[in-house]
Amino acid sequence: MKIATYNINGINGRLPNLLRWLAETKPDVVCLQELKCETHKFPEHALLGLGYHAIWHGQKSWNGVAILSRYGEIKETRKGLEGEPEDTHSRYIEAFINGIVIGCLYLPNGNPFPGPKFEYKLRWINRLQSHAHKLLSFGLPVALIGDYNIMPTEMDTYKPEKYIDNALFRSEVRKLWRELVNAGWTDAIRKLYPDMRFYTFWDYLRNAYGRDAGLRLDHFLLNEPLRSRLLSASVDKSVRGWEHSSDHAPVWIEIAEL
């Protein structure tokens, strides 16, 4: 079972790239972030044409998350996180697919630091921690997947000193990441590649992709029942080099079928 995550950075504007990548690589499940489209403008029929059913949570101009599946109809289990009723951002959607709970998330960027956007990011991570704790109690295989907007370690950025006061790399954020992981989750990429610089994002500025000046922002957190089934992982880096590409590349893991 191949599960992927891709911050598409505008699904309708980059739909040809998305459809091309899906046709070429055929992942079984895909978590998408930063749809930047209202719910009624989601390209459901184009995706069905490639055999992908979908659930999604849209928002005008910003945010937005979706889960695609080649396994047929998807059982949606949640939209949004508890803990802040006034939060209207479309950043979390969850489904039960082929025996696995899949949580697709787009964690707030948090910049500029300091400021209200950074404080919102910290609160959102705390809310995610609370929900993740509930998911662990279910005894089911669970994956929390998406654009976390967090670089957990210095190995996850080409130039750590540049990001000391960036919300993606602030010590407060990385501390919360460690607390989340240590509560019972496995960072799939780091489990397989503990010593490798493994980037998933390259800025549009200063030829970042050409220089491989990247960041690792897109993560798979697996609970124990799923961690034991992890087989492989990679990033489809070449997609970032396609014309009119997102600034993220698709990332995927392969899980053993039961």
Side-chain angles (χ1 to χ4, degrees):
M1 181 178 181
K2 186 177 182 180
I3 307 173
T5 183
Y6 191 10
N7 179 321
I8 191 62
N9 193 12
I11 190 168
N12 286 314
R14 305 188 202 280
L15 186 59
N17 282 13
L18 175 61
L19 296 178
R20 174 185 169 187
W21 170 70
L22 291 172
E24 290 182 2
T25 64
K26 297 180 174 58
D28 298 301
V29 176
V30 182
C31 293
L32 297 175
Q33 304 87 39
E34 215 170 349
L35 304 179
K36 294 183 177 178
C37 79
E38 295 175 271
T39 293
H40 70 279
K41 294 182 178 179
F42 185 84
E44 180 181 14
H45 296 297
L47 293 165
L48 276 173
L50 286 181
Y52 286 93
H53 292 262
I55 59 171
W56 62 94
H57 188 20
Q59 184 176 342
K60 185 178 181 180
S61 302
W62 307 103
N63 307 319
V65 285
I67 302 176
L68 318 181
S69 172
R70 295 173 60 186
Y71 289 104
E73 296 293 336
I74 304 172
K75 182 180 179 181
E76 181 181 311
T77 56
R78 169 172 286 276
K79 283 180 181 175
L81 294 175
E82 295 178 350
E84 198 164 329
E86 64 276 19
D87 183 6
T88 59
H89 288 195
S90 300
R91 294 187 177 274
Y92 187 84
I93 193 167
E94 186 181 286
F96 189 66
I97 302 173
N98 197 33
I100 299 174
V101 178
I102 304 283
C104 171
L105 62 96
Y106 177 46
L107 203 144
N109 177 286
N111 282 305
F113 167 84
K117 291 184 177 180
F118 184 72
E119 297 302 319
Y120 170 60
K121 179 173 189 165
L122 298 182
R123 294 196 309 274
W124 206 95
I125 299 172
N126 282 318
R127 291 162 60 201
L128 178 63
Q129 287 177 327
S130 297
H131 184 60
H133 180 71
K134 291 180 183 178
L135 291 174
L136 288 174
S137 71
F138 294 161
L140 295 168
V142 184
L144 292 174
I145 302 167
D147 179 0
Y148 280 75
N149 270 315
I150 297 173
M151 296 178 283
T153 70
E154 292 190 353
M155 194 183 302
D156 299 312
T157 166
Y158 75 102
K159 187 179 286 188
E161 64 274 14
K162 177 181 177 181
Y163 292 93
I164 295 300
D165 286 325
N166 189 296
L168 307 178
F169 197 55
R170 282 290 304 175
S171 59
E172 301 94 325
V173 170
R174 291 191 287 153
K175 178 177 181 291
L176 289 175
W177 167 270
R178 290 193 298 272
E179 290 176 358
L180 175 61
V181 172
N182 291 339
W185 300 89
T186 294
D187 179 346
I189 299 299
R190 277 290 161 250
K191 174 178 169 54
L192 293 174
Y193 303 102
D195 303 312
M196 180 183 295
R197 291 192 178 274
F198 193 102
Y199 302 142
T200 67
F201 168 93
W202 295 262
D203 204 319
Y204 291 124
L205 303 175
R206 297 178 292 279
N207 191 33
Y209 177 68
R211 296 186 293 116
D212 198 27
L215 312 174
R216 186 173 77 104
L217 303 178
D218 306 273
H219 308 302
F220 296 79
L221 293 187
L222 313 180
N223 70 344
E224 177 56 31
L226 204 54
R227 182 203 66 81
S228 61
R229 294 164 55 186
L230 179 63
L231 298 175
S232 62
S234 189
V235 57
D236 291 338
K237 181 180 176 181
S238 63
V239 176
R240 174 61 180 84
W242 292 357
E243 185 176 356
H244 197 52
S245 172
S246 169
D247 42 11
H248 292 250
V251 192
W252 55 267
I253 61 173
E254 187 179 8
I255 297 293
E257 299 275 8
L258 290 179

Coordinates of all heavy atoms in Angstrom, one line a residue, residues 119-188:
E119 N 1.5 32.2 17.9 CA 0.8 31.7 19.1 C -0.3 30.7 18.6 O -0.6 29.7 19.3 CB 0.2 32.8 19.9 CG 1.2 33.8 20.5 CD 2.2 33.0 21.4 OE1 1.7 32.2 22.2 OE2 3.4 33.3 21.4
Y120 N -0.9 31.0 17.5 CA -1.9 30.1 16.9 C -1.3 28.8 16.5 O -1.9 27.7 16.8 CB -2.6 30.8 15.7 CG -3.5 29.9 14.8 CD1 -4.6 29.3 15.4 CD2 -3.2 29.7 13.5 CE1 -5.4 28.5 14.6 CE2 -4.0 28.9 12.7 CZ -5.1 28.3 13.3 OH -5.9 27.5 12.5
K121 N -0.1 28.8 16.0 CA 0.6 27.6 15.6 C 0.8 26.7 16.9 O 0.5 25.5 16.8 CB 1.9 27.9 14.9 CG 2.7 26.7 14.6 CD 3.9 27.1 13.7 CE 4.6 25.8 13.2 NZ 5.6 26.2 12.1
L122 N 1.2 27.3 17.9 CA 1.5 26.5 19.2 C 0.2 25.9 19.7 O 0.2 24.8 20.1 CB 2.1 27.4 20.2 CG 3.5 28.0 19.9 CD1 4.0 28.8 21.1 CD2 4.5 26.9 19.5
R123 N -0.9 26.7 19.7 CA -2.2 26.2 20.1 C -2.6 25.0 19.2 O -3.2 24.0 19.7 CB -3.2 27.3 20.1 CG -3.0 28.4 21.1 CD -4.2 29.2 21.4 NE -4.9 29.7 20.2 CZ -4.6 30.8 19.5 NH1 -3.6 31.6 20.0 NH2 -5.2 31.2 18.5
W124 N -2.4 25.2 17.9 CA -2.9 24.1 17.0 C -2.1 22.8 17.2 O -2.7 21.8 17.2 CB -2.7 24.6 15.6 CG -3.6 24.0 14.6 CD1 -4.7 24.5 14.1 CD2 -3.4 22.7 13.9 NE1 -5.3 23.6 13.2 CE2 -4.5 22.5 13.0 CE3 -2.4 21.8 13.9 CZ2 -4.6 21.4 12.2 CZ3 -2.5 20.6 13.1 CH2 -3.6 20.5 12.3
I125 N -0.8 22.9 17.5 CA 0.0 21.7 17.8 C -0.5 21.1 19.1 O -0.7 19.8 19.1 CB 1.5 22.0 17.9 CG1 2.0 22.6 16.6 CG2 2.2 20.8 18.2 CD1 3.4 23.1 16.6
N126 N -0.9 21.9 20.1 CA -1.4 21.3 21.3 C -2.7 20.6 21.1 O -3.0 19.5 21.6 CB -1.6 22.4 22.4 CG -0.3 22.8 23.0 OD1 0.6 21.9 23.3 ND2 0.0 24.1 23.2
R127 N -3.6 21.2 20.2 CA -4.8 20.5 19.9 C -4.6 19.2 19.1 O -5.3 18.2 19.3 CB -5.7 21.5 19.0 CG -6.2 22.6 19.8 CD -6.7 23.8 18.9 NE -7.7 23.4 18.0 CZ -8.0 24.0 16.9 NH1 -7.3 25.1 16.5 NH2 -9.0 23.6 16.1
L128 N -3.6 19.2 18.2 CA -3.2 18.0 17.5 C -2.7 16.9 18.5 O -3.1 15.7 18.3 CB -2.1 18.3 16.5 CG -1.6 17.1 15.7 CD1 -2.7 16.4 14.8 CD2 -0.4 17.5 14.8
Q129 N -1.9 17.3 19.5 CA -1.4 16.4 20.5 C -2.6 15.7 21.2 O -2.6 14.5 21.4 CB -0.5 17.1 21.5 CG 0.8 17.5 20.9 CD 1.6 18.2 22.0 OE1 1.1 19.0 22.8 NE2 2.9 18.0 22.0
S130 N -3.6 16.5 21.6 CA -4.8 15.9 22.3 C -5.5 14.9 21.4 O -5.9 13.8 21.9 CB -5.7 17.1 22.7 OG -5.1 17.9 23.6
H131 N -5.7 15.3 20.1 CA -6.4 14.3 19.2 C -5.5 13.1 19.0 O -6.1 12.0 18.9 CB -6.7 15.0 17.9 CG -7.6 14.2 17.0 ND1 -8.8 13.7 17.3 CD2 -7.3 13.7 15.8 CE1 -9.3 13.0 16.4 NE2 -8.4 12.9 15.4
A132 N -4.2 13.3 18.8 CA -3.4 12.2 18.6 C -3.4 11.2 19.7 O -3.3 10.0 19.5 CB -1.9 12.7 18.3
H133 N -3.5 11.7 20.9 CA -3.6 10.8 22.1 C -4.9 10.0 22.1 O -4.8 8.8 22.4 CB -3.6 11.7 23.4 CG -3.7 10.9 24.7 ND1 -2.7 10.1 25.1 CD2 -4.7 10.8 25.5 CE1 -3.0 9.5 26.3 NE2 -4.3 9.9 26.5
K134 N -6.0 10.6 21.6 CA -7.2 9.8 21.5 C -7.1 8.7 20.4 O -7.5 7.6 20.6 CB -8.4 10.7 21.1 CG -8.8 11.7 22.1 CD -9.9 12.6 21.7 CE -10.4 13.6 22.7 NZ -11.5 14.5 22.2
L135 N -6.4 9.0 19.3 CA -6.2 8.1 18.2 C -5.4 6.9 18.7 O -5.7 5.7 18.3 CB -5.5 8.7 17.0 CG -6.4 9.7 16.3 CD1 -5.5 10.4 15.2 CD2 -7.6 9.1 15.6
L136 N -4.4 7.1 19.6 CA -3.6 6.0 20.1 C -4.4 5.0 20.9 O -4.1 3.9 21.0 CB -2.4 6.6 20.9 CG -1.3 7.3 20.2 CD1 -0.3 7.9 21.1 CD2 -0.6 6.3 19.2
S137 N -5.5 5.5 21.5 CA -6.3 4.7 22.4 C -7.2 3.7 21.6 O -7.7 2.8 22.2 CB -7.1 5.5 23.3 OG -8.1 6.2 22.6
F138 N -7.3 3.9 20.3 CA -8.3 3.1 19.6 C -7.7 1.7 19.2 O -8.5 0.8 18.9 CB -8.6 3.8 18.3 CG -9.4 5.1 18.5 CD1 -9.5 6.0 17.4 CD2 -10.1 5.4 19.6 CE1 -10.2 7.2 17.6 CE2 -10.8 6.6 19.8 CZ -10.8 7.5 18.8
G139 N -6.4 1.5 19.2 CA -5.9 0.2 18.9 C -5.9 -0.1 17.4 O -5.6 -1.2 17.0
L140 N -6.1 0.9 16.6 CA -6.1 0.7 15.1 C -4.8 1.3 14.5 O -4.2 2.1 15.1 CB -7.3 1.5 14.5 CG -8.7 1.0 14.9 CD1 -9.7 2.0 14.4 CD2 -8.9 -0.4 14.3
P141 N -4.4 0.8 13.4 CA -3.3 1.4 12.7 C -3.6 2.9 12.3 O -4.7 3.1 11.7 CB -3.1 0.6 11.4 CG -3.8 -0.7 11.7 CD -4.9 -0.3 12.6
V142 N -2.8 3.8 12.6 CA -3.0 5.2 12.4 C -1.8 5.9 11.8 O -0.7 5.7 12.2 CB -3.4 6.0 13.7 CG1 -3.8 7.4 13.4 CG2 -4.5 5.3 14.4
A143 N -2.1 6.8 10.8 CA -1.0 7.6 10.2 C -1.5 9.1 10.2 O -2.6 9.4 9.8 CB -0.7 7.2 8.8
L144 N -0.7 10.0 10.8 CA -0.9 11.4 10.8 C 0.1 12.0 9.7 O 1.3 12.0 9.9 CB -0.7 12.0 12.1 CG -1.7 11.6 13.2 CD1 -1.3 12.2 14.6 CD2 -3.1 12.1 12.8
I145 N -0.5 12.5 8.6 CA 0.3 12.8 7.4 C 0.0 14.2 6.9 O -1.1 14.7 7.0 CB -0.1 11.8 6.3 CG1 0.0 10.4 6.7 CG2 0.6 12.1 5.0 CD1 -0.6 9.4 5.8
G146 N 1.1 14.9 6.5 CA 0.9 16.1 5.8 C 2.0 17.1 5.9 O 3.2 16.7 6.3
D147 N 1.7 18.4 5.7 CA 2.6 19.5 5.8 C 2.6 20.0 7.2 O 1.6 20.7 7.5 CB 2.3 20.5 4.7 CG 3.2 21.7 4.8 OD1 4.2 21.7 5.7 OD2 3.0 22.7 4.0
Y148 N 3.6 19.6 8.0 CA 3.6 20.0 9.4 C 4.2 21.4 9.6 O 4.1 22.0 10.7 CB 4.4 19.0 10.2 CG 3.7 17.8 10.6 CD1 3.4 16.8 9.7 CD2 3.3 17.6 11.9 CE1 2.8 15.6 10.0 CE2 2.6 16.4 12.3 CZ 2.4 15.5 11.4 OH 1.7 14.3 11.7
N149 N 4.8 22.0 8.5 CA 5.5 23.3 8.7 C 6.4 23.3 9.9 O 6.5 24.3 10.6 CB 4.5 24.4 8.8 CG 4.1 25.0 7.4 OD1 5.0 25.2 6.6 ND2 2.8 25.2 7.2
I150 N 7.1 22.2 10.1 CA 8.1 22.0 11.2 C 9.3 21.3 10.6 O 9.2 20.3 9.9 CB 7.6 21.2 12.3 CG1 6.3 21.8 13.0 CG2 8.6 20.9 13.4 CD1 5.7 21.0 14.0
M151 N 10.5 21.9 10.9 CA 11.8 21.2 10.7 C 12.2 20.6 12.0 O 12.7 21.4 12.8 CB 12.8 22.2 10.1 CG 12.4 22.7 8.7 SD 13.6 23.9 8.0 CE 13.2 25.4 9.0
P152 N 12.1 19.3 12.2 CA 12.4 18.8 13.6 C 13.8 18.9 14.1 O 14.0 19.1 15.3 CB 12.0 17.3 13.5 CG 11.0 17.3 12.3 CD 11.5 18.3 11.4
T153 N 14.8 18.8 13.2 CA 16.2 18.9 13.6 C 17.0 19.7 12.6 O 16.5 20.1 11.5 CB 16.8 17.4 13.6 OG1 16.9 17.0 12.2 CG2 15.9 16.5 14.4
E154 N 18.2 19.9 12.9 CA 19.1 20.7 12.0 C 19.3 20.0 10.7 O 19.6 20.6 9.7 CB 20.5 21.0 12.7 CG 20.4 21.9 13.8 CD 21.7 22.4 14.3 OE1 22.7 21.8 13.9 OE2 21.8 23.3 15.2
M155 N 19.2 18.6 10.7 CA 19.3 17.9 9.5 C 18.2 18.1 8.5 O 18.3 17.8 7.3 CB 19.4 16.4 9.8 CG 19.9 15.5 8.7 SD 19.8 13.7 9.1 CE 20.9 13.7 10.6
D156 N 17.2 18.8 8.9 CA 16.0 19.0 8.1 C 16.0 20.3 7.4 O 15.0 20.8 6.8 CB 14.7 18.8 8.9 CG 14.6 17.4 9.5 OD1 14.8 16.5 8.8 OD2 14.4 17.3 10.7
T157 N 17.1 21.0 7.4 CA 17.2 22.3 6.7 C 18.7 22.4 6.1 O 19.6 22.0 6.8 CB 16.9 23.5 7.6 OG1 17.4 24.7 6.9 CG2 17.6 23.4 8.9
Y158 N 18.8 23.0 5.0 CA 20.1 23.1 4.4 C 21.0 24.2 5.1 O 22.2 24.1 5.0 CB 20.0 23.6 2.9 CG 19.6 25.0 2.7 CD1 20.5 26.0 2.3 CD2 18.3 25.4 2.9 CE1 20.2 27.3 2.1 CE2 17.9 26.8 2.7 CZ 18.9 27.7 2.3 OH 18.5 29.0 2.2
K159 N 20.3 25.1 5.9 CA 21.1 26.1 6.6 C 20.4 26.4 7.9 O 19.7 27.4 8.0 CB 21.2 27.3 5.7 CG 22.2 28.4 6.3 CD 22.3 29.6 5.3 CE 23.1 29.3 4.1 NZ 23.4 30.5 3.3
P160 N 20.7 25.6 8.9 CA 20.0 25.8 10.2 C 20.1 27.2 10.8 O 19.1 27.8 11.3 CB 20.7 24.8 11.1 CG 21.2 23.8 10.2 CD 21.6 24.5 9.0
E161 N 21.3 27.8 10.7 CA 21.5 29.2 11.3 C 20.6 30.2 10.7 O 20.3 31.2 11.3 CB 23.0 29.6 11.1 CG 23.4 29.8 9.7 CD 23.9 28.5 9.0 OE1 23.7 27.4 9.6 OE2 24.6 28.7 8.0
K162 N 20.1 30.0 9.5 CA 19.2 31.0 8.8 C 17.8 31.0 9.4 O 17.1 32.0 9.3 CB 19.1 30.6 7.3 CG 18.2 31.5 6.5 CD 18.2 31.1 5.0 CE 17.2 31.9 4.2 NZ 17.1 31.5 2.8
Y163 N 17.4 29.9 10.1 CA 16.1 29.7 10.5 C 15.9 29.8 12.0 O 14.8 29.4 12.5 CB 15.5 28.4 10.0 CG 15.4 28.4 8.5 CD1 16.4 27.9 7.7 CD2 14.2 28.9 7.9 CE1 16.3 27.9 6.3 CE2 14.1 28.9 6.5 CZ 15.1 28.4 5.7 OH 15.0 28.4 4.3
I164 N 16.8 30.3 12.8 CA 16.7 30.3 14.2 C 15.5 31.0 14.7 O 14.8 30.5 15.6 CB 18.0 31.0 14.8 CG1 19.2 30.1 14.5 CG2 17.8 31.2 16.3 CD1 19.2 28.7 15.1
D165 N 15.1 32.1 14.1 CA 13.9 32.8 14.5 C 12.7 32.7 13.5 O 11.8 33.5 13.5 CB 14.2 34.3 14.7 CG 15.0 34.5 16.0 OD1 14.8 33.8 17.0 OD2 15.9 35.5 16.0
N166 N 12.8 31.6 12.8 CA 11.7 31.3 11.9 C 10.7 30.3 12.6 O 11.1 29.4 13.3 CB 12.2 30.6 10.6 CG 11.2 30.5 9.5 OD1 10.2 29.7 9.7 ND2 11.4 31.1 8.4
A167 N 9.4 30.5 12.4 CA 8.4 29.7 13.1 C 8.5 28.2 12.8 O 8.0 27.4 13.5 CB 7.0 30.2 12.8
L168 N 9.1 27.9 11.6 CA 9.3 26.5 11.2 C 10.3 25.8 12.0 O 10.3 24.5 12.1 CB 9.7 26.4 9.7 CG 8.8 27.2 8.7 CD1 9.4 27.0 7.3 CD2 7.4 26.7 8.8
F169 N 11.2 26.6 12.7 CA 12.4 26.0 13.4 C 12.5 26.4 14.8 O 13.5 26.1 15.4 CB 13.6 26.3 12.5 CG 14.8 25.5 12.8 CD1 14.8 24.1 12.7 CD2 16.0 26.1 13.1 CE1 15.9 23.4 12.9 CE2 17.2 25.3 13.3 CZ 17.1 24.0 13.2
R170 N 11.6 27.3 15.3 CA 11.8 27.8 16.6 C 11.8 26.6 17.7 O 11.2 25.6 17.5 CB 10.6 28.7 17.0 CG 10.7 30.1 16.4 CD 11.8 30.9 17.0 NE 11.6 31.0 18.5 CZ 12.5 31.6 19.3 NH1 13.6 32.2 18.8 NH2 12.2 31.6 20.6
S171 N 12.6 26.9 18.7 CA 12.8 25.8 19.7 C 11.4 25.4 20.4 O 11.2 24.2 20.7 CB 13.7 26.3 20.8 OG 13.2 27.5 21.4
E172 N 10.5 26.3 20.5 CA 9.2 26.0 21.1 C 8.5 25.0 20.2 O 7.8 24.1 20.7 CB 8.3 27.3 21.3 CG 8.9 28.3 22.1 CD 9.7 29.4 21.3 OE1 10.3 29.0 20.3 OE2 9.7 30.6 21.7
V173 N 8.5 25.2 18.9 CA 7.9 24.3 18.0 C 8.5 22.9 18.0 O 7.8 21.9 18.0 CB 7.8 24.9 16.6 CG1 7.4 24.0 15.5 CG2 7.0 26.2 16.6
R174 N 9.8 22.9 17.9 CA 10.5 21.6 17.9 C 10.3 20.8 19.2 O 10.3 19.6 19.2 CB 12.0 21.8 17.6 CG 12.2 22.3 16.2 CD 13.7 22.3 15.8 NE 14.4 23.3 16.4 CZ 15.7 23.3 16.7 NH1 16.4 22.2 16.4 NH2 16.3 24.3 17.2
K175 N 10.2 21.5 20.3 CA 9.9 20.9 21.6 C 8.5 20.2 21.5 O 8.4 19.0 22.0 CB 9.9 21.9 22.7 CG 9.6 21.3 24.1 CD 9.8 22.4 25.2 CE 9.5 21.8 26.6 NZ 8.0 21.5 26.7
L176 N 7.5 20.9 21.0 CA 6.2 20.3 20.9 C 6.2 19.1 19.9 O 5.5 18.1 20.1 CB 5.2 21.3 20.4 CG 4.8 22.4 21.5 CD1 3.9 23.4 20.9 CD2 4.2 21.7 22.7
W177 N 7.0 19.2 18.9 CA 7.2 18.0 18.0 C 7.7 16.8 18.7 O 7.2 15.7 18.6 CB 8.1 18.4 16.8 CG 8.6 17.2 16.0 CD1 9.7 16.5 16.2 CD2 7.9 16.7 14.8 NE1 9.8 15.5 15.3 CE2 8.7 15.6 14.4 CE3 6.8 17.0 14.1 CZ2 8.4 14.8 13.3 CZ3 6.4 16.2 13.0 CH2 7.3 15.1 12.6
R178 N 8.8 17.0 19.5 CA 9.4 15.9 20.2 C 8.4 15.3 21.2 O 8.3 14.1 21.4 CB 10.6 16.4 21.0 CG 11.8 16.7 20.1 CD 13.1 16.9 20.8 NE 13.0 18.0 21.8 CZ 13.3 19.2 21.5 NH1 13.7 19.5 20.3 NH2 13.3 20.2 22.4
E179 N 7.6 16.2 21.8 CA 6.6 15.7 22.8 C 5.5 14.8 22.0 O 5.1 13.8 22.5 CB 5.9 16.8 23.5 CG 6.8 17.6 24.5 CD 6.1 18.8 25.1 OE1 4.9 19.1 24.7 OE2 6.7 19.5 25.9
L180 N 5.1 15.3 20.9 CA 4.2 14.5 20.1 C 4.7 13.2 19.7 O 4.1 12.1 19.9 CB 3.8 15.3 18.8 CG 2.9 14.6 17.8 CD1 1.5 14.3 18.4 CD2 2.7 15.5 16.6
V181 N 5.9 13.1 19.1 CA 6.5 11.9 18.7 C 6.8 11.0 19.9 O 6.5 9.7 19.8 CB 7.9 12.2 17.9 CG1 8.6 10.9 17.6 CG2 7.6 12.9 16.6
N182 N 7.3 11.5 20.9 CA 7.6 10.6 22.1 C 6.4 10.1 22.8 O 6.5 9.1 23.6 CB 8.4 11.4 23.1 CG 9.8 11.8 22.6 OD1 10.3 11.1 21.7 ND2 10.4 12.8 23.2
A183 N 5.2 10.6 22.5 CA 4.0 10.1 23.1 C 3.6 8.7 22.4 O 2.6 8.1 22.9 CB 2.9 11.1 22.9
G184 N 4.2 8.3 21.4 CA 3.9 7.0 20.8 C 3.9 7.0 19.3 O 3.2 6.1 18.7
W185 N 4.6 7.9 18.6 CA 4.6 8.0 17.2 C 6.0 7.8 16.6 O 7.0 8.2 17.2 CB 4.0 9.3 16.7 CG 2.6 9.5 17.2 CD1 2.2 10.1 18.4 CD2 1.4 9.1 16.5 NE1 0.8 10.0 18.5 CE2 0.3 9.4 17.4 CE3 1.1 8.4 15.3 CZ2 -1.0 9.2 17.0 CZ3 -0.2 8.2 15.0 CH2 -1.3 8.5 15.8
T186 N 6.0 7.3 15.4 CA 7.3 7.2 14.7 C 7.3 8.0 13.4 O 6.4 8.0 12.6 CB 7.5 5.7 14.3 OG1 7.6 4.9 15.4 CG2 8.7 5.5 13.4
D187 N 8.4 8.8 13.3 CA 8.7 9.6 12.1 C 9.2 8.7 11.1 O 10.3 8.2 11.1 CB 9.7 10.7 12.5 CG 10.1 11.6 11.3 OD1 9.8 11.3 10.2 OD2 10.8 12.6 11.6
A188 N 8.3 8.3 10.1 CA 8.6 7.2 9.1 C 9.9 7.5 8.4 O 10.7 6.6 8.2 CB 7.5 7.0 8.2

